[in-house]
Amino acid sequence: MRRAVLGALLAGLCWSGCSSAEPQDPEAPGSNRGTIAAPDPVWGGPPIAAHNTLEGGMELTVVAPTANHGLELVGVEVVGGTADVTVHYVTPGAMFVAQVLSPVRMEVPANLLGEATRVRFWIATVPRDAAGEAPPAKLSLIQTRG
Amino acid sequence: MSGTLSVPTVAPARLVPEAEVRRPMFAGEVAVWLDPGQTAPDLRARGLDLETFGGPIAVYRVREAARRGRLEFGATLEESAEYATCVAAEGLTGIRGIRHAQPNYRYQHCIEPNDRFYSNQWHYPQINLPQAWDVTQGSASVIVAVIDTGIVSAHPEFQGRLTAGFDMISDPTNAGDGNGLDPNPEDVGDGTAAQPSSFHGTHVAGTIGANGNDGAGIAGVDWNCKIMPLRALGRRGGSSADIGNAILFAAGLPNASGTVPAKKADIINMSLGGPGTDTILTQACDQAAAADVLLVAAAGNDNSSQPNTPAAVPSVLSVGAVDLVKARAPYSNFSSTVDIWAPGGDMTADLNGDQFPDGVLSCMADDQGQLFFSFENGTSMASPHVAGVAALVKAANPSLTAAGLRDILTRTATAGANLPNGGRIVDALAAVQDAAAGGGGGPVTQPVLVATPTVLDFGETGTQLTLRLENRGTGFLTFVDATEATPSPWLDGTVISAAPGGNISDDRIDVVVDRSGLPAGVYSTRVTLEYSDGTNPFTTVVEVRMQVGTSGVLGDEIFVLLVDANSFETLYQVQTNALASFAYAFDGVDPGTYILVAGSDRDNDDLLGDPGELFGAWPNLDTRLSIQVTDAGALTGLDFALRELVVIQSSNPAGFVARRLR
């Protein structure tokens, strides 16, 4: 059931199939991969880390600068030994929030990662309640699995 | 070996009175007085490592190995070193050439509160709070409003300290308590399915005003002020309108609630913020400042030079965060609008090596209803330090205006470690001294009633304590009345005035308690002492508590364990049901060195010492001593008390656990 929901969410996003002025990232999930070089992770946000869980999944942690941040799992796609995990890093938007550093965690269950030995996190920063499409996710972190 | 285990009459060389171990000292140093004619070189020649600067007094340094000898079993380094120091002093006393030996005690003039986790609150000495507490520990006449996520009012650190607030969150979905505006500022949590609640307001309020010097938990900056909780941050944060209305409410101005507090706040703390500017919030802040309220806010955690609202509003005192070494915390904003700096912590570091992250320790709760203490970091934590010091300053000189408070706080602040824009750190001592001396807009022009101490704890056996009342302001005060918060026939007091009818600078009150006929339990009340200058009343509140019998909860099954002091293996166990007090006995104990502990196992995991369980050790949890069992005879009178443990996050509350036998 969880896999089906995630699949539906993924289908509703605008990755490679939509017309967009944004240049296409050949490594982005759902694109026509087969390229030779993977881009280096780029993450300009607060401290981020991923680690393997005892259950075989992967936990992503962001130390958000304030309260009311969140991580939402948008989709997982496994091709060969690589799992591409798309995540929304949800920020408070226009709200006033508590100024306390807040670790935010999200687990990617083992069953969604299949046999992948490498997990790539593609993260889009999305203000809460923002209208319109989410901005493109960027490759932000690569972690070896297992 | 058989019989009942008992007090220090056995193995005297190993047993040190608790009071001696707990007395502040330079751990590892023994001060010795040499016999006439003896010199340190004489004794060094006999193998004693003595330092001397001439004369009969010398210092013996306990070897490192010995000082670390009791680090096992969860004892802190300080406890271990102090214990070893006491043992060394006892050993030296009998040596030829030494007339007397004792720990090299540390003398200081400042108040060190006895709260259990105070030693982890590094952020208070950093701003000279202990010395400031010598001047004032706050006043119940000062109100600090906390605009935040609300408060967990059941936390023991807030008992007797809250004044009526309001829930200003207008959107029921954001509020999460089933309604919009309502008079109940209780924090019901702001968590989501993926994220636990922050209980941020409880942490912030704890820094401002957790009960101090009460032998439990932590200390707040101000031990007497009233906290007005105003709930404005919900599951999605807070809006301009809700926060604006909370500001107006605190200032006693017309607002959406349709009501105002009986007495407006003197200070408002806002450990919150958002980017950009906000006209609604700016106007609310300006109106509150015009109503003589000091507004204090967090500068923001974006590691940015961009201003944050409401901290950047000119009428608000903006607070940046420093770490343990007084440098800018890596997350703290540093715009030119930052007015003052205070400890906000840095959880990525443990520069003081206390095995905890260098965060700010304060009150916390969780979604399961547990109440405990946790470390957090952020400018959210820095702001309440300044708000709390402002409350102390107001207590030191009640005639100060909000502008006067701001002037004192910023003018007396001291240099940090290369803070941006020449920034300076709040200095509690300098601020309250300046206030008491009439700084911040004029001399003290009215009486200032101060009680010392503010907590009278008679413990299990005490019967009489003395309270001192002083007028640290001007004019004359005379005693009017003393009223108890709850009827307490066990309590009585006699006012003894050295100058009847005149000033109270010499007043003392002999307070006595009478336990006769009372059932076991903890008794406490708050006594409001009222004085008058002939026209106006002046009050101060003193907390009184005592215990009858030893602690214990009827029906709990208690396990008493003898644990091998070297392997920490539980070797002997007896069971009983907890009453107010109960006897225990071990028979047939083999000679050896043991530690004696007892407790309940409410979660049935075989481990005693978990949060929420009764737990104790001989002679007490803070100073666990080894017991030497020999063939010489029975040990009796090893009495000790159990207490219910509260939890400090990332730790177990007692510092150790013991496994019971199945």
Side-chain angles (χ1 to χ4, degrees), chain B residues 312-647:
Chain B
V313 175
S315 57
V316 175
L317 194 63
S318 172
V319 186
V322 297
D323 62 12
L324 188 131
V325 294
K326 298 186 177 181
R328 181 178 73 89
Y331 53 80
S332 179
N333 284 359
F334 49 90
S335 80
S336 59
T337 61
V338 175
D339 298 300
I340 197 167
W341 297 74
D346 177 7
M347 299 278 279
T348 65
D350 178 18
L351 299 180
N352 59 359
D354 67 352
Q355 311 301 312
F356 291 104
D358 293 342
V360 169
L361 183 61
S362 187
C363 305
M364 188 44 68
D366 64 19
D367 289 307
Q368 287 70 48
Q370 286 205 91
L371 307 176
F372 51 98
F373 306 93
S374 75
F375 292 94
E376 304 284 355
N377 61 165
T379 50
S380 272
M381 283 64 243
S383 182
H385 281 84
V386 173
V389 172
L392 291 177
V393 171
K394 181 76 174 175
N397 184 352
S399 64
L400 281 168
T401 63
L405 291 178
R406 181 173 181 141
D407 168 62
I408 287 179
L409 291 170
T410 53
R411 184 165 43 76
T412 59
T414 54
N418 291 320
L419 292 175
N421 307 312
R424 299 169 77 83
I425 299 172
V426 67
D427 185 329
L429 175 62
V432 297
Q433 283 181 332
D434 194 272
V444 183
T445 57
Q446 63 183 58
V448 179
L449 178 63
V450 177
T452 311
T454 55
V455 177
L456 293 175
D457 190 347
F458 290 85
E460 293 181 22
T461 56
T463 57
Q464 178 171 335
L465 291 172
T466 300
L467 188 65
R468 186 176 181 201
L469 276 301
E470 294 174 89
N471 176 10
R472 293 188 181 166
T474 59
F476 291 88
L477 286 177
T478 52
F479 177 77
V480 175
D481 196 11
T483 53
E484 299 152 10
T486 53
S488 309
W490 47 270
L491 178 67
D492 199 6
T494 305
V495 181
I496 301 169
S497 182
N503 206 340
I504 63 161
S505 59
D506 296 322
D507 267 14
R508 64 185 172 90
I509 299 178
D510 287 337
V511 182
V512 296
V513 293
D514 180 4
R515 294 182 178 78
S516 56
L518 292 177
V522 175
Y523 294 77
S524 68
T525 189
R526 284 176 173 260
V527 179
T528 300
L529 298 157
E530 182 181 341
Y531 279 72
S532 174
D533 63 356
T535 307
N536 302 304
F538 292 82
T539 62
T540 188
V541 178
V542 175
E543 183 169 342
V544 183
R545 54 173 167 260
M546 70 166 185
Q547 185 168 333
V548 178
T550 53
S551 55
V553 176
L554 187 65
D556 259 318
E557 189 171 30
I558 299 296
F559 303 90
V560 188
L561 314 179
L562 269 180
V563 179
D564 186 292
N566 297 310
S567 67
F568 313 127
E569 183 184 356
T570 299
L571 299 182
Y572 301 93
Q573 173 178 305
V574 294
Q575 289 172 241
T576 182
N577 282 324
L579 298 170
S581 65
F582 53 90
Y584 67 91
F586 291 97
D587 291 325
V589 176
D590 289 335
T593 306
Y594 299 92
I595 291 169
L596 178 60
V597 301
S600 61
D601 184 21
R602 289 174 177 170
D603 58 2
N604 203 35
D605 66 350
D606 292 349
L607 295 177
L608 314 185
D610 292 326
E613 293 180 346
L614 294 170
F615 200 47
W618 183 86
N620 58 56
L621 264 185
D622 297 323
T623 314
R624 298 174 295 279
L625 299 182
S626 301
I627 298 165
Q628 300 278 5
V629 175
T630 67
D631 291 325
L635 310 180
T636 57
L638 286 168
D639 303 328
F640 59 103
L642 307 184
R643 67 169 185 246
E644 194 157 0
L645 297 176
V646 292
V647 65

Side-chain angles (χ1 to χ4, degrees), chain B residues 63-361:
Chain B
R63 289 191 187 87
E64 188 70 9
R67 288 205 286 133
R68 293 179 181 277
R70 279 179 52 84
L71 263 180
E72 75 277 9
F73 213 66
T76 67
L77 177 63
E78 288 76 17
E79 287 169 344
S80 301
E82 289 162 359
Y83 178 76
T85 305
C86 293
V87 171
E90 282 196 9
L92 286 169
T93 298
I95 290 180
R96 183 167 51 88
I98 293 179
R99 173 175 292 182
H100 177 73
Q102 65 176 51
N104 204 8
Y105 291 122
R106 181 192 300 273
Y107 289 89
Q108 49 198 20
H109 59 85
C110 58
I111 293 173
E112 294 281 348
N114 61 7
D115 301 79
R116 177 163 169 74
F117 302 124
Y118 172 73
S119 62
N120 296 101
Q121 294 184 285
W122 56 269
H123 34 101
Y124 290 163
Q126 184 183 76
I127 59 171
N128 293 327
L129 254 182
Q131 297 91 332
W133 286 325
D134 275 345
V135 179
T136 178
Q137 296 149 22
S139 164
S141 301
V142 177
I143 297 177
V144 183
V146 180
I147 300 177
D148 215 290
T149 60
I151 197 159
V152 178
S153 58
H155 205 295
E157 294 289 357
F158 300 131
Q159 298 316 301
R161 303 295 304 287
L162 302 181
T163 188
F166 214 89
D167 179 357
M168 286 290 179
I169 304 179
S170 53
D171 175 4
T173 306
N174 191 30
D177 61 355
N179 54 35
L181 271 64
D182 67 82
N184 182 6
E186 191 73 21
D187 191 345
V188 297
D190 57 358
T192 62
Q195 193 70 12
S197 296
S198 70
F199 295 103
H200 180 263
T202 296
H203 198 278
V204 168
T207 299
I208 294 170
N211 282 322
N213 207 28
D214 58 356
I218 55 143
V221 173
D222 185 307
W223 304 345
N224 293 302
C225 72
K226 292 292 185 183
I227 295 168
M228 178 193 291
L230 293 168
R231 187 165 183 251
L233 301 181
R235 291 176 170 172
R236 292 155 13 108
S239 69
S240 308
D242 293 351
I243 298 168
N245 274 311
I247 294 170
L248 295 176
F249 179 93
L253 300 170
N255 63 87
S257 74
T259 183
V260 291
K263 182 176 184 293
K264 76 171 180 65
D266 300 288
I267 297 146
I268 295 175
N269 183 82
M270 293 180 285
S271 288
L272 55 88
T277 59
D278 188 302
T279 303
I280 297 283
L281 277 190
T282 300
Q283 291 196 358
C285 291
D286 289 349
Q287 285 197 16
D292 197 25
V293 177
L294 176 68
L295 298 104
V296 185
N301 299 344
D302 304 307
N303 182 25
S304 160
S305 61
Q306 293 300 308
N308 218 26
T309 297
V313 175
S315 57
V316 175
L317 194 63
S318 172
V319 186
V322 297
D323 62 12
L324 188 131
V325 294
K326 298 186 177 181
R328 181 178 73 89
Y331 53 80
S332 179
N333 284 359
F334 49 90
S335 80
S336 59
T337 61
V338 175
D339 298 300
I340 197 167
W341 297 74
D346 177 7
M347 299 278 279
T348 65
D350 178 18
L351 299 180
N352 59 359
D354 67 352
Q355 311 301 312
F356 291 104
D358 293 342
V360 169
L361 183 61

